[in-house]
Amino acid sequence: MDIQAYLATQKEKIDRALTTTFQTCADIPPVLREAMEYSLKAGGKRVRPVLVLASAAVYKAPEEKIMPVALAMELIHTFSLIHDDLPAMDNDDLRRGQPTSHKVFGEGKAILAGDGMLSHAFFLLARLGKKGGVYPTLLLEVIEDIAKATGAEGMVGGQVLDLQGEGADLNEEGLRKIHRYKTGALITASVISGAKLAGAGKKDLEHLKVYGDKIGLAFQIADDVLNVEGTTKELGKKAGSDASLQKTTYPSVCGLEESKKKARQLVEEAVKSLETFDSKAGSLREIARYIIQRKS
Ligand code: GRG
């Protein structure tokens, strides 16, 4: 398959759905709507929603049924980026090639735009129960998984460990833990939620969890490498920021070449975890390979 063409098609569909997601919410204050749409429209690779749709496609689920979950994952991710860029956290001026939310709207509105997105994500998920076609207990399980992956035992917890780790002398194990929480949890939840709602069985879900965990870690290692090797223009965010913040990263602990080797190994293991799946898992296999080949 042509992974670039596949990703472009999926991204276009997701972008289209994202632009209409607030349309039915008439009461959003205009400036808040503007701030939320600003960050969503700024771009982004849409890796998490692509994963939701790709894992559901393994079970031939209709895309329109799964799309709200895909949008929810992108909303949660974009919320995390807005908050991550704040002066109290990484203090970044550039994201997705544009000035960060707080630079344009001020810190207060940027925080609230992130809060609004997080709430809207769970609104979309809960509304799936009303639309029918999803067993309430299954939906609740998916909402539980996503809430856990987002919160204190997932991404938010990972961000706290990341803040604590600035300037600290972390070893690879400590770093792996931060990456697994901060980045991996949401990636794994994307894979699992799409598959669960599409009807995946217990055994498949176990394999998909291994796949998600492996690509999640590979994704963050690739991000650490790109922060060293990429340019600000390519990345759409400040290159070299990890070193300026004295962050412990894979390249700082293991060196650049060893980090790349580890990422390649994880991708191989991720692909291997899908060996019992047929050709319908082809997109998941290619996404795993793309994750370490990307330039942004
Ligand atoms: C303060 C409540 C509260 C939450 C904050 C900030 C945060 C939680 C979590 C940080 C999440 C974060 C920035 C993780 C790093 C993961 C990462 C590699 C982000 C970049 O993802 P890409 O490359 O970005 O998918 P695009 O722009 O393509 O979507």
Side-chain angles (χ1 to χ4, degrees), residues 130-150:
K130 271 193 179 169
K131 285 186 169 173
V134 183
Y135 288 113
T137 41
L138 182 64
L139 181 60
L140 281 174
E141 204 182 296
V142 167
I143 293 176
E144 186 182 338
D145 290 347
I146 295 176
K148 187 168 176 184
T150 302

Side-chain angles (χ1 to χ4, degrees), residues 201-221:
K202 198 164 168 272
K203 202 83 218 146
D204 276 13
L205 287 170
E206 279 168 20
H207 293 306
L208 287 167
K209 164 113 180 45
V210 174
Y211 167 87
D213 289 347
K214 302 274 182 198
I215 63 162
L217 184 55
F219 186 90
Q220 184 60 56
I221 297 178

